[in-house]
């Protein structure tokens, strides 16, 4: 009888695995995704972006507690919106890319806001400093393709980005808006599959 | 001899524009080669704000000139033709110099926000190569302006100190 019980349990597990709604979006399409930012310089709104980043996402709308996300941005790939500044912004006063080549976001939780909206919280590390951030995210799903769009504001000085003569906030404002657009394809979740690999 | 002066509006616009150009020009030359710093970014903004102010005043000036005949002159024919040509180009350049500055800024993706408060529309989409070309055009027009302004000042001084006529006085405030 013991084996019979085991078979029942196995069947139950298989049924759960085949639950049609259990899709997990976990294949980030880097070439279609963007990480960009906005800031004000002398009152002028400027747009910048990062050419290189690595993102890992595991998101099942029905299992928010298991949601995972991590984005590592290669800071030397910065396009500051002004070619004059791309080099300086990698220097000691700004990103100091030699000592801190990456900025990382690691999600710590996702809460539903209703409909296709979520609130993601996580830890953002820039220049060796880690602070909590929280971003509203909208999810748009077409077939097996999910697009996550979100943005949040940080204060650059709280990360020590733009110090020395740049501490003067008249020139470059403290508020930096960070925006992300992630395209993630689904693969059906299965209890036998491993969680997404971490590098 | 009583001098028939330009209207107060013409005189006012002439000297305010002259003063602004005499500030924008050296700032433009100086800021260009500075290494990136808050000072550099401040100077770029001041330069752009002054230049846009010139553009707005220049539009008024040209409209005013088109609708108001200056007092008659009695100079040699060649002098009237020559000054007419130089003045024509000066009007053109006080419009074209700031216009190319504005176009260049749009092409470089750095919006112009007049006085840090009023955003001006971008005239062209961001395009690095175009920005570079417009920067060269802005510089070339500036040097043309410089040559004409030197000629313009030299002629005014010659009229005043050598010919001792009232050509310069016409453009100076007075009753
Ligand atoms: C009366 C009006 C203006 C004058 C006399 C003027 C004069 C100059 C001069 C002499 C330079 C240096 C050129 C060089 O060294 O290559 C310059 C550069 C510059 N001007 Fe103007 N300018 C005027 C209006 C404007 C306006 C309205 C703007 C933008 C809205 C502008 C934007 C610039 C920029 C961005 C540069 C630097 C070019 C570069 O970095 O390549 N200018 N200007």
């Amino acid at each position: 009888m013991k084996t019979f019980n085991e078979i029942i349990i196995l069947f139950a597990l298989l049924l759960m695995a085949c639950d049609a709604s259990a899709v997990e979006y976990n294949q980030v399409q880097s070439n279609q995704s963007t990480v960009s930012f906005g800031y004000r310089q002398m009152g002028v709104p400027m747009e910048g972006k990062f050419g290189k980043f690595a993102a890992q996402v595991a998101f099942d709308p029905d299992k928010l507690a298991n949601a995972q996300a991590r984005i590592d941005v290669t800071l030397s790939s910065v396009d500051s919106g002004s070619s004059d500044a791309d080099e300086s912004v990698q220097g000691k006063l700004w990103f100091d890319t030699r000592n801190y080549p990456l900025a990382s976001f690691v999600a710590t939780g996702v809460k539903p806001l209703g409909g296709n909206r979520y609130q993601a919280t996580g830890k953002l590390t820039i220049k060796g400093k880690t602070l909590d951030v929280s971003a509203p995210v909208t999810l748009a799903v077409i077939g097996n393709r999910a697009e996550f769009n979100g943005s949040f504001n940080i204060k650059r000085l709280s990360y020590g980005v733009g110090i020395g003569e740049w501490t003067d906030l008249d020139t470059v404002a403290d508020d930096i808006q960070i925006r992300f657009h992630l395209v993630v394809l689904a693969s059906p979740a299965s209890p036998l599959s491993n969680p997404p690999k971490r590098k | 001899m009583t001098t028939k002066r330009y209207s107060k509006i013409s005189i006012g616009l002439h000297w305010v524009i002259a003063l602004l150009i005499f500030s924008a020009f050296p700032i433009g030359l100086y800021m260009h080669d500075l290494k990136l710093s808050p000072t550099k970014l401040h100077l770029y903004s001041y330069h752009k704000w002054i230049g846009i102010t010139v553009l707005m005043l220049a539009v008024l000036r040209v409209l005013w000139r088109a609708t108001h005949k200056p007092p008659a002159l009695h100079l040699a024919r060649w002098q009237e033709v020559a000054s007419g040509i130089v003045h024509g180009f000066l009007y053109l350049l006080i419009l074209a110099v700031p216009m190319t500055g504005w176009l260049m800024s749009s092409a470089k993706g750095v919006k112009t926000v007049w006085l840090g408060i009023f955003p001006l529309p971008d005239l062209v989409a961001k395009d690095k190569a175009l920005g570079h070309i417009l920067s060269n055009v802005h510089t070339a027009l500036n040097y043309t302006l410089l040559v004409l302004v030197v000629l313009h000042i030299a002629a005014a001084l010659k009229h005043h100190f050598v010919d001792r006529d009232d050509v310069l006085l016409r453009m100076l405030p007075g009753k």
Side-chain angles (χ1 to χ4, degrees), chain A residues 84, chain B residues 17 20-33 40 44 47-55 93-94 97-106 108 110 112 120 131-132 134-136 138-140 142-143 145:
Chain A
D84 223 20
Chain B
I17 291 173
L20 293 176
I21 289 179
F22 276 109
S23 3
F25 194 93
I27 295 177
L29 283 184
Y30 174 70
M31 68 187 194
H32 188 68
D33 296 324
K40 179 171 186 163
Y44 264 69
H47 177 83
K48 290 166 68 166
W49 302 347
I50 297 170
I52 291 299
T53 312
V54 168
L55 179 62
L93 286 171
I94 61 175
V97 165
M99 270 314 288
T100 50
W102 181 3
L103 281 161
M104 172 213 320
S105 294
S106 301
K108 289 190 170 188
V110 186
T112 302
L120 305 187
H132 191 71
L134 287 167
S135 163
N136 289 335
H138 188 63
T139 304
N142 264 298
Y143 283 105
L145 177 65

Side-chain angles (χ1 to χ4, degrees), chain B:
Chain B
M1 186 179 81
T2 59
T3 299
K4 280 215 166 60
R5 293 175 198 274
Y6 277 92
S7 65
K8 289 219 159 46
I9 301 274
S10 296
I11 295 176
L13 286 171
H14 177 276
W15 290 106
V16 172
I17 291 173
L19 187 76
L20 293 176
I21 289 179
F22 276 109
S23 3
F25 194 93
I27 295 177
L29 283 184
Y30 174 70
M31 68 187 194
H32 188 68
D33 296 324
L34 292 179
K35 85 171 218 327
L36 191 63
S37 67
T39 309
K40 179 171 186 163
L41 294 179
H42 274 83
L43 289 178
Y44 264 69
S45 292
Y46 299 156
H47 177 83
K48 290 166 68 166
W49 302 347
I50 297 170
I52 291 299
T53 312
V54 168
L55 179 62
M56 295 189 293
L57 295 176
V59 169
L60 283 182
R61 177 113 195 264
V62 169
L63 289 177
W64 185 262
R65 175 65 180 76
T67 51
H68 297 77
K69 244 184 149 28
L73 265 180
H74 304 284
L75 299 177
R77 179 89 191 117
W78 75 267
Q79 289 188 346
E80 294 207 3
V81 172
S83 65
I85 292 172
V86 172
H87 292 164
F89 276 107
L90 285 172
Y91 281 123
L92 207 67
L93 286 171
I94 61 175
L95 294 168
V97 165
M99 270 314 288
T100 50
W102 181 3
L103 281 161
M104 172 213 320
S105 294
S106 301
K108 289 190 170 188
V110 186
K111 206 179 192 49
T112 302
V113 180
W114 189 54
L115 306 179
I117 303 170
F118 304 103
L120 305 187
D122 283 327
L123 301 176
V124 292
K126 186 169 177 174
D127 177 341
K128 214 171 163 176
L130 182 63
H132 191 71
I133 294 170
L134 287 167
S135 163
N136 289 335
V137 175
H138 188 63
T139 304
L141 291 181
N142 264 298
Y143 283 105
T144 315
L145 177 65
L146 178 65
V147 169
L148 291 179
V149 166
V150 168
L151 212 62
H152 181 69
I153 295 173
L157 294 178
K158 186 215 172 238
H159 280 286
H160 194 71
F161 292 110
V162 179
D163 303 340
R164 294 176 181 280
D165 58 22
D166 61 358
V167 164
L168 177 58
L169 293 178
R170 284 151 50 91
M171 201 36 116
L172 289 175
K175 54 178 170 59

Side-chain angles (χ1 to χ4, degrees), chain A residues 179-195:
Chain A
R179 292 184 286 262
F180 52 90
H181 166 77
L182 297 176
V183 176
V184 188
L185 301 187
S187 64
S190 138
L192 303 174
S193 72
N194 296 318

Side-chain angles (χ1 to χ4, degrees), chain A residues 140-196:
Chain A
V141 175
I142 303 168
N144 72 336
R145 177 191 155 98
E147 287 187 16
F148 298 87
N149 283 301
S151 71
F152 58 97
N153 284 12
I154 60 165
K155 305 267 185 207
R156 63 178 178 84
L157 285 183
S158 57
Y159 291 92
V161 171
I163 49 173
E165 58 183 356
W166 298 100
T167 308
D168 140 47
L169 296 174
D170 285 356
T171 314
V172 178
D174 204 9
D175 274 314
I176 310 285
Q177 189 190 46
I178 300 184
R179 292 184 286 262
F180 52 90
H181 166 77
L182 297 176
V183 176
V184 188
L185 301 187
S187 64
S190 138
L192 303 174
S193 72
N194 296 318

